Structure formats: structure tokens, C-alpha cells
């Protein structure tokens, strides 16, 4: 393993199911345009409320990935 | 949408099931006395332990709601 | 209840299943060597990514327990 | 001045005009139901965007006021 | 113990005597109108100065209490 | 509204006029290359000084926007 | 530009007009006794309330300036 | 004084008397099993409430001590 | 009350007696050279340990005071 | 100097040599694809360990640069 | 790689040479009694001063390591 | 050692060489006008970039020193 450089981008995933699913949705989306996704960290957990219940989880994460010479 | 004012109250929901359920319980309780619940943000996640296992999730959230002229 | 003293240790549990399971794994492990585990608080939630999906949740917690005179 | 006790409530004021106006709107609203409003502190400044411009400032403040024996 | 929900309110107690007394004054006042006060956490410690001495301690705390179905 | 994913980018707008104008300038610039700008949050407020007066406000914000499948 | 050393001092400016004016007042005052004022950063925004309106903005800033060999 | 290495452990002392006493109790307990206790820093101050009064102060500290080659 | 400007300086008071006394010692010392001391806020509480007991409380505060035109 | 807008991107540089070298590697890499790199700020310093020694420094920075009308 | 559990301990390394050396000294010391040291993160950087120069760097880190079933 | 009072001042040292050198330059400068410099803590590490390389490290520190009765 050599001296890589990584980039972090911040994303908010949303889901009516769970915190984990909101994170998965954000990562799945990032994977469409970014190669080498490597790790994430949760920055903030929020959500919307409807009819007295949490409707949609909004989880903001930072996603890290190695940047290659052609990125 | 006009220039609304919102109030935030801080609640701790507890649940033996999951983080999401603890949040849902806090919001469900708030809904009994507060109209217009609109959004929440997770402030802290803690829990109690019994017999070497997490027993009860204690999730503190802030809940926001529009305050009307009669509140 | 007298004037107890508690110690806090910091652990990272990991799990491919969920945040709750990662916490449970850390506590289960701590329970092997520490008596009187009493409460935990979540410090950080991270994870690894593989094939565009969260692979393993890494949840760092502090675990508190009463220290007895023989610990 | 005796040993007063103060309460703090958290509000989000919104305004299309300015940060100062969003704060003023939150305080004006609080003043309808709370006596003795004394000071505020800005907690967070956010806003919505429309057509490439900030549309509505959303400023969250804490407002402090002395609580009297009949409150 | 079932899945309770707790509410947290933020108060500033003041006292010319000590930090502990400022906290006690805030809790004593809260106890007049809130049942089931359960725990507190110190948020900020400030004070006023007069004639080169601390005159009045101003200690801001959050106070937690279980909310019952009739609150 | 389905389970959207949002991206957040961090920008510093500058202005000799006001904090609000510095934010507006950052958002106006972002709008040239990003579609669907939705919300912002202020991260930091700084500025340069010249001749004993604030010369240029430098306001760092995070801007959020929904990412579509073709971004 | 050589390897300068800068000092930061913390000031609270107050104004009935605006946040920007409170900052300007603090800097104007600092300029009376400090040469080379170079930059500022906002640390905290508070204010007093009178008659249900923000009366006086209190903005705490750090001001930075190069220290010369004779300061 | 040579290049020592120090370890920090986190403890919560509790006391019905005062913040200072809660800290002293935590340090006294740590002293039973740790040599060379050198300094502490307060991390958090909480407490339990009973009958409208603070019952037991719970003060979390970090305690630092030099680790010798045989520890 | 006109638009005053205040300066904040950071001090660490030390005392073998209590947190309050450490704060008082810092303020008493500041009062020798600074006029108009007005308020303080506690930034950090630490201490040294000797023979398994807290020896000296080290409390860091910020002290605010109005700066007059001749300061 | 007119009212520029700047963008900040977050990068993690890694190096077996030093913190400074890890930062330099991140900036060197950013310079391949971003014009006008202007300043950086260190966000976090971590590292991996091998054979009881720090193996690779991992320093996360934010890098700021002016965005031109064609970026 | 299975679902490991990691423990984090907090250490302060000191060195007259550099920040990196202070970290290395803390890790070297930890390696005497802890197996599987895996990563570290810098928590705080301080130091002592003598004769107008930094004398000894004091760098506090958290060190993480997998805990095996016999630890 | 009696109950000393310490003052903390905030400085930014700059250096093209290293973080350690930037700190040393700030302390050397402070030593010209302040007696009894005792300790420092790093508050922030930033820098300027030129030609795709870190040009000048800008390290902000707090420096503590005992204040004597004649200061």
C-alpha cells in the first residue's frame, strides 16, 4: 500500500425504513459516479415527521475514496 | 409559505427494540400534546446494559414544530 | 445507593448487520472481562464500504461500570 | 436583584429579509406567550434556496427569561 | 420499568453562594411546576463580577423528567 | 416525494456589503454549475479588515442539492 | 512576506442596528490602540431583548493582527 | 525530567456533597490501583434529583498518570 | 446604555480550596490591572493530584470588561 | 480584489514520513485537477500502526480555491 | 475479517524533538503491554516552554487495537 | 508553589518549514514581551498554498504564563 490520497464527499441519504437504509441509499447513489468508495462516517441524523411518526430518516455522511491519477 | 416561527423541544425516547423505535416513541408521545410536529434531529444516543447486553436504547432528539398564534 | 465510582472504557464494535448489533457486540465482548456493566453512550458511527454498499458498521461507544474495591 | 431562575426556549425564526429579521420574528412570536424575555443567543443559521438565491433565512435561537413564581 | 419518554428543559439558576447552590435553585424552581424531575446536566457556568469579585454564579442546566400521559 | 439523495458542497462567499450578501454570492455562483440547489447552512463567518473597518465578509456555507441519476 | 507572528484578541461589539454594525464597532474600537488589524472571525452572536424585540446585538469576535518587534 | 508517557483513564465520581467531593472520590478510588496519579480534567457534570433537589453529583473526569516500564 | 465594546481575556485561577475559589482568585488578580470587570464564563476545569487527592484546582475562565476610550 | 467565491474540498493525505508530508501529498494531488489552490486547514490527524510504530500518517485537510466562471 | 471488537486507550506521549516523535513514543510504550495495536488519532497537542522555546511536545492520542478473547 | 494565576494569550506563528517551527516562532516572539511563559496548546493548524505546495504553515496556539503582581 503506497501513500494514497483520499477525497471525502458529504451526502444525505433518506429512507422511510431505517438509519442504516438511509446510509445505504446515499452510498449506492455515490457508487454510480465514484470509484473506490472505501469508508463512511455519520455526521448527522435528522428526519421529517408526519402524522405523529418519523416519516423519512435523513442521515448525512461523509464518504471517503482513493483518488487515482485520472480522476 | 409565510414567515413561520418554529419551536424546538428536547425529548428522550426509550426502547428495548432499536434506535429508530426510541425516536418513534418520543415523537408519538410529543404528538399527544403538540400540533404540527414537523422534523427531528438526533442529539445523543445512549442506553442501559443488563446481563451483558444493551437493554434499553435512550435516544435524545430535538423536535421542531410551527407555533401558531393560539399556542 | 452509596457514593459509587464508575469507570468508562471506549470500545468499537463492528457488525455487518446494524448499528444496534455493532453496539451489542462491543458490550458482549466487554462483559467477558468487566463486571457490573451499567450504561453506554455512542461516540461515533462509521463503516467500511464494499461493492457500493456499507459492509461493516463500526460503532464506537463508551461503556460505564461501577468499580468495586477489588477491581 | 435577587437569585432569579431563568428558562431558555429554542425557536427558529424565518424571514426572506435578513438574519436580524428572522431573529426579530422569533422573539416577537415568543413575546405573545412569554413574559420577561431577557436575552437570546444564535444557535444556527440556515436557509432555503430558490432560483439560485437564498429565499428564506432560518435562524435558530435560544431565548432566556426570568420565571416568576406563578409561571 | 417500561419504555418511558423524558423531556428536557433548559434553566439557568443563579446564586451568590456557589455553583451547587445555583443548580439547586434552578431545580427547586422547576419542581414547583414539573413532576418527576429525574436528572440534570450542567451546560454552562458563568457569572457576574462586582468590585473585583464573582458576585452571582449563573449555571445553566438541562433537567430531565418523565412525561406522563396527562402532562 | 421519494427517497432522494442529497449532496453538500462547502463554499465561501465574500462581500463588502453584508453577511447575507456574501451568502447570496456563494449560492449564485453555485447555481451556475449545480442544479436543484435546495438549502444552505452557515458554517463560519470571518472577514478581512482595512483601515480599522471590516472590509470583506467571508461566509462559509454548506449548500445541499438533490443528486439526480445523471449527475 | 516573511514569517510573521499574529496575535488574536477577543472582543464583543454591541449595536442596536445589526450584526455587521456590532462587528464594525468592535473593530473600530480595537483600531484605536492596535496597529495592523488584519482579520476577524465571529465567535458568538447574542443580544438583549426589550419590549419583545431584539434591542442590542452582542457579537463576539476574534481579531488578528501582526505583532511587530516594538509592540 | 525525561520523555515520559502518560495514560488517561475516564472515571465518574459521585457525591451528595459537592462537585469537588465527587472528583475527590473518583481520584481516591483510582489511587487504590494506579500509581503516579498526576492530574485530572473535568469532562462532564451531571446529577440525580430527588424531592426537587440535586441528590447526587456525578462528575466525569479524565485522570492522567505516568506509565512506568513495569505497568 | 450606549453601544459599548467589551474585551475578553482568558485566565487560569488556581486554588487548593474549591472551583469557586480558583475563579475568585483569577478575578481578584485581573482586578488589579483591569477596570470595569463585568462578567466571566468558565472554559475548563482541571487540577493537579498529590497523594491520591486533588491538590490544586485550575479553572480557566474568560473575563469580560467594557473598554473605555483611554484603555 | 473583487468579491470572489471559494470552494472547499476535503482530502486525506497519507505519508510514512510526517504530518507535513501527508498534507503536501494531498495538496500535490489536488493541484492536478484544481486550479487556484489557495489555503488549507487541518481537520484531523490519524495514522496506522505496525510493529509498535506509527506507519502511515493520515491527515485530513480542507483545501480552499477560488472558483472561476468556467469551473 | 470477522466482526472484531476494538478497544481505545488514551495516552500522552512527550518528546523534545517533534509532534511525530511524541506520538511514536506513546505508541512504543503501549506496544510493551498491548498486542495488535492498529491505529491512532491525535486528540490534543500541547507543550511546555523553557527559555522562550517549546521544550517538550505533549501529544495526546487515542490508540485502537483488536481485543481477543483472552485479553 | 502557591495559588498562582495564569494568563493565556492566543498567537498565530507562521513558518515555511514545519508546524513545530511555526509554534516556536510564535513563542519566541511572545518571549520578547512576556515573562514566565510556561505552556502552550495548539488551537488550529492552517496554511497557504503556492504552486501546488503548502507554502507557509499558520499554527494558532494559546500560550500560558504566570502573572505576577507587577504585570
Amino acid at each position: 500500500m503506497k501513500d494514497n490520497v483520499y477525497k471525502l464527499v458529504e451526502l444525505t441519504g433518506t429512507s422511510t425504513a431505517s438509519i442504516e437504509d438511509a446510509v445505504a441509499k446515499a452510498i449506492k447513489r455515490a457508487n454510480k459516479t465514484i470509484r473506490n468508495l472505501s469508508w463512511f462516517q455519520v455526521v448527522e441524523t435528522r428526519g421529517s415527521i408526519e402524522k405523529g411518526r418519523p416519516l423519512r430518516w435523513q442521515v448525512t455522511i461523509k464518504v471517503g475514496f482513493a483518488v487515482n491519477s485520472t480522476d
Side-chain angles (χ1 to χ4, degrees), chain A:
Chain A
M1 196 179 99
K2 63 183 188 310
D3 287 352
N4 280 322
V5 173
Y6 302 85
K7 187 173 177 183
L8 294 98
V9 295
E10 200 164 353
L11 299 167
T12 301
T14 66
S15 163
T16 54
S18 68
I19 296 172
E20 284 85 350
D21 190 51
V23 172
K25 286 213 163 66
I27 291 172
K28 189 181 169 189
R29 176 61 189 79
N31 193 48
K32 286 188 187 175
T33 49
I34 304 174
R35 283 170 298 161
N36 305 322
L37 292 175
S38 173
W39 86 92
F40 67 92
Q41 53 201 85
V42 175
V43 172
E44 193 183 37
T45 304
R46 304 169 68 105
S48 59
I49 300 176
E50 227 176 71
K51 299 180 184 161
R53 281 192 289 197
L55 175 65
R56 201 176 296 272
W57 295 87
Q58 304 161 336
V59 185
T60 300
I61 59 172
K62 288 191 187 177
V63 184
F65 54 97
V67 282
N68 295 330
S69 49
T70 58
D71 287 340

